[in-house]
Amino acid sequence: MKKRMVIALGGNALGNNLVEQMEAVKVTVKAIADLVEDGHEVIVTHGNGPQVGMIQRAMSEYHKLNPESPNIPLSVCVAMSQAYIGYDLQNALREELLNRGIDKGAATVITQVRVDPNDKAFDNPSKPIGRFMNREEAMQEAAKGERVMEDAGRGYRKVVASPRPVEIVEINTIKALLNNGVVVIAAGGGGIPVTSRGNHLKGMSAVIDKDFASCILAKSIDADCLMILTAVEKVAINFGKPGERWLSSISINEAKRLIQEGHFSAGSMLPKVEAAVEFASSGENRYSIITLLEKAREGIRGKTGTIIK
Ligand code: ADP
Ligand code: MG
């Protein structure tokens, strides 16, 4: 059965720096091309944590060296990350598809996503971005007025506001490309957060969670499936603890109960399961899959991953 699907790529699909990204996308585009080859209509989204962190740091260092040149807002850094990641992905995807004899375009849409200026996330920054720091580096950043936080036992990172996406601004452009057979890369890094004042869109200093942006994108294009590709093959209860159990299929209600019971870490698995539940709840035949990047094809064939329906 041919499906229309949003594939959300996690950090492991892109690596942590330029060299890693060029290597990682070769593997990533194989997973995407498998689905295209099977006849599915595919739209790709991705995270941008390390990349936007790198760009923002580079921009602020430039500003320090050239104080007369204004500092670059985070929204512009997100736009730069979409272009840089999109360039690598569309280039590698083009090559992989041509190698398989598939002559389809791949194109990146610089995507703005409207957020609510009154979203309470703006008062409570919670989204870790950029490289991992040790405690000492983190304390130095904090002393400079940056918000820093311990990220799921992996070290310290900067944190920024992470408002909920309300609407994809370029949705009609994305649909037009999709309907013409193009493999679209959109809403990268969760999209560029903007608020609207009449016809004017203003960039916000925030990073939208890519899992939530992927969910709203999947709803907007009337997708059948939201596929979240990450670094684990399945979602677990009691993850990393005694009684750990990997889940193959869960209902929306079960997933909601497991969220309540605290099985999923905030900032990593929680937004994925929440986005998966929201998409699966939004229409009769809609479902979500969370699985390993390399297992995308097996996942859509129902052979692995965690299905939420
Ligand atoms: P991505 O970069 O793909 O968004 P994250 O690292 O943010 O990925 O989140 C995925 C990670 O969440 C997994 O690799 C795993 O280490 C962690 N995780 C936390 N809780 C769970 C859980 N209950 N089941 C599976 N993985 C979990
Ligand atoms: Mg992540």
Side-chain angles (χ1 to χ4, degrees), residues 49-50 53-54 57 129-133 137 141 156-158:
M54 171 185 81
R57 186 156 180 228
I129 62 163
R131 70 195 174 96
F132 287 98
M133 299 177 281
E137 289 174 295
E141 288 297 321
Y156 290 81
R157 293 169 95 184
K158 277 188 197 173

Side-chain angles (χ1 to χ4, degrees), residues 145-190:
E146 296 283 354
R147 303 277 287 241
V148 292
M149 199 176 81
E150 215 286 319
D151 184 8
R154 299 176 291 189
Y156 290 81
R157 293 169 95 184
K158 277 188 197 173
V159 284
V160 297
S162 186
R164 289 289 178 134
V166 174
E167 179 191 41
I168 310 247
V169 176
E170 287 79 13
I171 192 65
N172 289 334
T173 309
I174 293 168
K175 281 183 189 164
L177 287 168
L178 196 58
N179 291 337
N180 280 283
V182 176
V183 181
V184 187
I185 300 152

Side-chain angles (χ1 to χ4, degrees), residues 151-279:
D151 184 8
R154 299 176 291 189
Y156 290 81
R157 293 169 95 184
K158 277 188 197 173
V159 284
V160 297
S162 186
R164 289 289 178 134
V166 174
E167 179 191 41
I168 310 247
V169 176
E170 287 79 13
I171 192 65
N172 289 334
T173 309
I174 293 168
K175 281 183 189 164
L177 287 168
L178 196 58
N179 291 337
N180 280 283
V182 176
V183 181
V184 187
I185 300 152
I192 304 158
V194 295
T195 55
S196 63
R197 243 183 260 142
N199 286 336
H200 180 69
L201 297 176
K202 182 183 183 301
M204 301 297 284
S205 182
V207 170
I208 300 168
D209 193 290
K210 71 105 175 41
D211 298 310
F212 295 134
S214 305
C215 173
I216 190 165
L217 178 61
K219 289 200 262 184
S220 312
I221 60 159
D222 193 21
D224 305 298
C225 177
L226 169 62
M227 184 173 235
I228 300 177
L229 299 179
T230 184
V232 283
E233 187 162 341
K234 292 181 182 190
V235 176
I237 53 169
N238 302 313
F239 177 68
K241 286 186 272 195
E244 180 180 72
R245 192 161 64 81
W246 301 96
L247 306 167
S248 297
S249 176
I250 36 176
S251 69
I252 290 163
N253 284 336
E254 256 179 291
K256 284 184 179 164
R257 180 171 58 78
L258 297 174
I259 290 171
Q260 286 288 314
E261 289 175 8
H263 286 283
F264 314 120
S265 330
S268 62
M269 192 46 77
L270 182 61
K272 298 185 201 328
V273 177
E274 285 179 342
V277 165
E278 190 181 325
F279 179 69

Side-chain angles (χ1 to χ4, degrees), residues 67-123:
E68 73 286 356
S69 161
N71 200 15
I72 303 294
L74 183 56
S75 53
V76 177
C77 296
V78 174
M80 289 177 175
S81 78
Q82 286 187 349
Y84 155 55
I85 296 167
Y87 160 51
D88 266 2
L89 275 177
Q90 76 188 35
N91 196 346
L93 195 52
R94 174 184 171 275
E95 182 174 332
E96 181 67 27
L97 291 172
L98 285 174
N99 287 346
R100 297 183 191 208
I102 304 168
D103 191 7
K104 251 178 187 284
T108 305
V109 176
I110 300 301
T111 312
Q112 304 177 86
V113 173
R114 196 165 63 75
V115 298
D116 178 352
N118 298 318
D119 194 310
K120 41 186 190 319
F122 285 110
D123 305 324

Side-chain angles (χ1 to χ4, degrees), residues 59-74:
M59 292 299 132
S60 68
E61 291 298 323
Y62 181 81
H63 171 62
K64 266 186 235 155
L65 292 169
N66 302 281
E68 73 286 356
S69 161
N71 200 15
I72 303 294
L74 183 56

